[in-house]
């Protein structure tokens, strides 16, 4: 037996995706390979075992191999673990919905349906109206049969045939989805179906006398519980995958197949209690008009896939299954989170007209994407994009974005084992700056906390998370998290026009402390001889305190960007996520508009410019008011840019 020690350099360790890659590599060799960490070993050809071993970056491991190509296997696998991989291929991307539905926007007025509409979580914007396709897979009911000793070998052979068939089906679906956002999900599920650990656990139960279906269900549930108990949210989510795969194994053994979304007719709206990534993966989603589910949230895999394909979706809808099943037609507004089952004729007609008008309008507005948006009296207003990942760059440029007015960096930090390092952040911000140069790219420092925790940062449980340890408050307490981001921003600023902006500012001292940290980072980089720039520094005005102190704060910064989503919720004391108080949470409320005016007046006196990056920036009914108040930049989701430019040109 050959043995070699190695130190793991794979960023974030051998969790989901790298574990799959590692196992694929190990399977190329005929040698048996074991990976040992802290005295515990795992078969290197089982992704399931490997993930449960929990190998982290910087861990010391031992690789053991036995067989004809043992030395080549050890060489290849130790190279793999010792190679630092900056980017995590397949990391989940796609910006979760901001949590601020475009409620009240003129084109969303009234939501999906006025007749008996329900509200769920806005998961993917757009409107849909179509026949329902009810997707309610039956509960798996299988008799538990104790095997006679003579039946065991045949039962194991039956299991192996079922595993082989499922593996082939997933491979086929993986090929169909190749290159698409969800092909990695299919691949990960296929790995589980082929996993030796899972097969061995089922086989052991069969040998103990359980029939194959019973054994598969039990083994799958036990394994899923092990994953569900892990601290790492990435790995916890694998429990769902294991349940989905073992369900398929059991069905195959029973000679049944599940209801399939592939049977949904073109233009149907899928209604379901729950849809898994497995169900959606590899389907031609452009045929589907919409999706409505009782379970799920804005950041679930399903929401991410729906957004990636532009399928309007409302998840987390509080409704009886029976009502869903009984509905024949469903209307939904994915931006407002509204759903109406069997809408009346007037609602149907209105929605149909809106969908058609929306498509026509979108085509006509594209002509405005490339114009320079000036008011008739000659004022140029910059119309920029709000984005959350580099994947959105192309859409923003196509829409005519004049830079980025808000880069939400929290999405880089969420759904990872620990915060991204300084080098990785430098690369992301640098690429963003290059993509839009010479236009500015305003990168917001981490606005995480409250309802959006990030692994690697210990968040306390809070009774009022939106009034808690959020944004700059957390950052100032955690220089170990904050300084690498500031250093990365200083370094990236040599590659374009980077501006730095801090969220949730409530007092002057916070601004001074951020500036002091930036100075400290600059001095460190200079001492280290690392090239860096001197980006402008501004703040978000999104707390009533910042609006009231705008005059004083203006002396400390070069710009303000008004976050109307939070400013509305804090001025009106109305939770932005609570549909019951949505009528109060309005950026066009006189109280909020007065606060915005106050900020603009103070900024003008101090000579700093003001932008708006909350959802209200895209509202044609408010843009003229904002421009009249002195706002010179509006930042919004890419899809709204052409309409905003047209609106400015008409002022
Ligand atoms: C805002 O509060 O208006 C804003 C733009 O920030 P976020 O929606 O990310 O809180
Ligand atoms: Mg905000």
């Amino acid at each position: 037996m050959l043995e070699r020690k190695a130190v793991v350099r794979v960023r974030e360790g051998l969790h989901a995706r790298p574990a799959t890659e590692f196992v694929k590599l190990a399977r190329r060799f005929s040698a048996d390979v074991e990976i040992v960490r802290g005295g515990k070993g795992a078969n290197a050809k089982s992704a399931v075992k490997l993930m449960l071993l929990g190998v982290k970056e910087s861990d010391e491991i031992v690789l053991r191999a036995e067989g004809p190509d043992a030395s080549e296997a050890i060489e290849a696998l130790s190279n793999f673990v010792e190679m630092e991989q900056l980017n995590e291929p397949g990391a989940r991307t796609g910006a979760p919905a901001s949590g601020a539905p475009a409620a009240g926007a003129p084109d969303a007025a009234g939501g999906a349906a006025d007749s008996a509409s329900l509200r769920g979580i806005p998961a993917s914007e757009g409107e849909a109206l179509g026949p329902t396709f009810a997707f309610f897979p039956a509960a798996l009911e299988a008799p538990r049969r104790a095997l006679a000793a003579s039946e065991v070998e045949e039962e194991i052979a039956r299991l192996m045939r079922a595993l082989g068939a499922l593996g082939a089906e997933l491979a086929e679906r993986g090929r169909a989805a190749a290159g698409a956002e969800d092909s990695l999900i299919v691949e990960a599920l296929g790995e589980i179906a082929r996993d030796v650990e899972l097969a061995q656990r089922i086989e052991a139960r069969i040998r103990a006398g359980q029939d194959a279906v019973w054994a598969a269900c039990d083994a799958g549930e036990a394994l899923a519980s092990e994953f569900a108990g892990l601290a790492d949210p990435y790995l916890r989510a694998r429990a769902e995958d294991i349940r989905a795969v073992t369900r398929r194994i059991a069905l195959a053994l029973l000679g049944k197949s599940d209801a399939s979304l592939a049977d949904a007719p073109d233009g149907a709206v899928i209604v379901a209690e729950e849809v898994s990534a497995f169900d959606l993966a590899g389907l031609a989603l452009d045929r589907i008009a919409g999706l409505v589910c009782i379970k799920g949230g804005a950041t679930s895999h399903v929401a991410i896939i729906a957004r990636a394909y532009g399928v309007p979706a409302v998840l987390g809808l509080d409704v009886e299954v029976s009502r869903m099943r009984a509905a024949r037609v469903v209307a939904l507004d994915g931006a407002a989170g509204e759903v109406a089952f069997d809408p009346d004729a007037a609602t149907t007609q209105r929605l149909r007209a809106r969908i058609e008008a929306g498509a026509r309008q979108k085509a006509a507005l594209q002509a405005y994407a490339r114009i320079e948006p000036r008011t008739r009296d000659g004022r140029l207003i910059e119309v920029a994009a709000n984005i959350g990942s580099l994947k959105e760059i192309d859409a923003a440029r196509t829409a005519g974005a004049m830079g980025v007015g808000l880069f939400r960096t929290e999405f880089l930090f969420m759904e990872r084992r620990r915060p991204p390092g300084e080098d990785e952040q430098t690369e992301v911000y640098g690429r963003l700056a290059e993509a839009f140069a010479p236009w500015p790219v305003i990168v917001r420092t981490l606005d995480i906390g409250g309802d959006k925790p990030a692994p690697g940062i210990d968040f306390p449980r809070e009774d009022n998370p939106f009034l808690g340890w959020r944004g700059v408050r957390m950052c100032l307490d955690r220089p170990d998290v904050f300084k690498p981001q500031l250093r990365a921003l200083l370094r990236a600023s040599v590659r374009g026009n980077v501006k730095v902006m801090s969220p949730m500012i409530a007092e002057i001292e916070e601004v001074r402390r951020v500036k002091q940290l930036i100075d400290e980072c600059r001095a460190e980089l200079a001492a280290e001889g690392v090239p860096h720039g001197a980006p402008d520094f501004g703040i978000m005005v999104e707390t009533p305190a910042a609006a009231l102190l705008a005059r004083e704060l203006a002396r400390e910064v070069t710009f303000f960007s008004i976050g109307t989503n939070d400013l509305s919720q804090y001025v009106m004391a109305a939770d932005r996520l609570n549909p019951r108080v949505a009528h109060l949470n309005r950026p066009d409320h006189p109280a909020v508009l007065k606060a915005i005016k106050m900020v603009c007046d103070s900024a003008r006196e101090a000579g700093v410019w003001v932008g708006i990056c909350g959802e209200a920036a895209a509202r044609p009914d408010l843009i003229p008011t904002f421009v009249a108040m002195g706002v010179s930049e509006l930042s919004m989701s890419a899809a709204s840019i052409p309409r905003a430019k047209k609106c400015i040109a008409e002022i």
Side-chain angles (χ1 to χ4, degrees), residues 444 447 470 540 542 566 576:
R444 176 170 76 182
D447 184 15
R470 181 185 163 188
M540 287 197 69
E542 52 185 348
D566 277 315
R576 63 193 262 187

